[in-house]
Amino acid sequence: MSQDAQGHALSGTTLEAVGPYDEAVRAFNIVYGDAIGLFDAALAAAPQFAMAHLGKAWLLTGANDPGLLVQARAIVDSARPMVRNERERAHLAALSHQVKGARAAAVAVLDRHLMSYPFDLVAHQAAALADGFLGRFAWVRDRSARALPRWSKDQPGYGTMLAFHGFGCEEAGDYARAEDESREAAALEPHSFWPHHTVSHVMEMT
């Protein structure tokens, strides 16, 4: 079975679809590039690719737009009959709450899921965005702090994980650590939204 860049098994995919999917996840994580177009490219290569459907749904719900939420709900419904593994079932369960506007319930599912899947950057991003709307920025710090010891610096996406933690530290008032980690994250992912946003906040607050 095919795997994503972080080593997760992917249901319903093809080798041709994995590349665009990994690029879509990275674009979603760093908030840069055409994530929708890349998810669509993955789906064109593998129409039953469960995580490509679910990743696109997370992207649409994260926009906090009523029209896009309707589209996300339709995607979630279409993904229900597809073959899914444990990870993908957790995403579907969380999205089932998210598309109803129940962000706290969605994050509760993602938090439990991430205890077993600490490298799931789609879940980390989805939870971070939902917690932002809920004003629970310390949760972003604590969730990434729990996961980071299990990462290595040479893993794809490490810069994104470090950026999540830096952002959470800034929101909790730990400005020195937030700046140091975010500058390191920006060196790893120069186009990423998260570390630049965090350093801007640190500069404003200090």
Side-chain angles (χ1 to χ4, degrees):
M1 181 176 285
S2 297
Q3 295 183 336
D4 68 11
Q6 286 71 46
H8 303 111
L10 299 170
S11 301
T13 190
T14 63
L15 290 176
E16 295 78 18
V18 174
Y21 171 78
D22 281 333
E23 292 179 32
V25 170
R26 180 172 174 268
F28 177 41
N29 286 150
I30 69 175
V31 197
Y32 181 88
D34 183 10
I36 288 285
L38 289 163
F39 278 127
D40 284 343
L43 289 168
Q48 297 297 306
F49 188 172
M51 271 310 299
H53 286 281
L54 299 171
K56 183 177 178 179
W58 278 124
L59 179 60
L60 294 173
T61 65
N64 201 34
D65 177 275
L68 295 180
L69 193 62
V70 171
Q71 293 182 40
R73 192 176 299 123
I75 292 171
V76 170
D77 288 341
S78 70
R80 293 189 192 283
M82 294 179 186
V83 173
R84 286 170 277 113
N85 58 33
E86 181 182 65
R87 174 189 177 225
E88 294 152 0
R89 288 194 293 272
H91 276 276
L92 183 65
L95 274 162
S96 296
H97 293 298
Q98 181 86 345
V99 296
K100 296 175 183 175
R103 291 192 179 102
V107 173
V109 173
L110 293 173
D111 253 339
R112 288 193 299 272
H113 164 68
L114 284 164
M115 291 179 186
S116 300
Y117 292 86
F119 309 125
D120 190 342
L121 287 175
V122 177
H124 279 290
Q125 176 92 352
L129 292 172
D131 278 334
F133 286 120
L134 293 166
R136 304 189 311 194
F137 297 108
W139 287 42
V140 181
R141 176 199 60 191
D142 295 345
R143 186 182 302 113
S144 53
R146 184 180 69 201
L148 267 171
R150 299 174 69 177
W151 281 72
S152 63
K153 292 187 176 183
D154 59 352
Q155 278 181 273
Y158 173 79
T160 293
M161 275 304 308
L162 188 63
F164 287 146
H165 189 252
F167 172 75
C169 286
E170 182 278 322
E171 291 293 335
D174 189 350
Y175 299 129
R177 184 170 186 177
E179 182 176 357
D180 288 346
E181 290 186 350
S182 296
R183 289 189 182 280
E184 181 181 351
L188 294 169
E189 280 285 10
H191 294 298
S192 178
F193 157 83
W194 292 98
H196 295 292
H197 180 77
T198 298
V199 172
S200 297
H201 275 221
V202 170
M203 297 297 98
E204 181 179 15
M205 297 305 293
T206 59

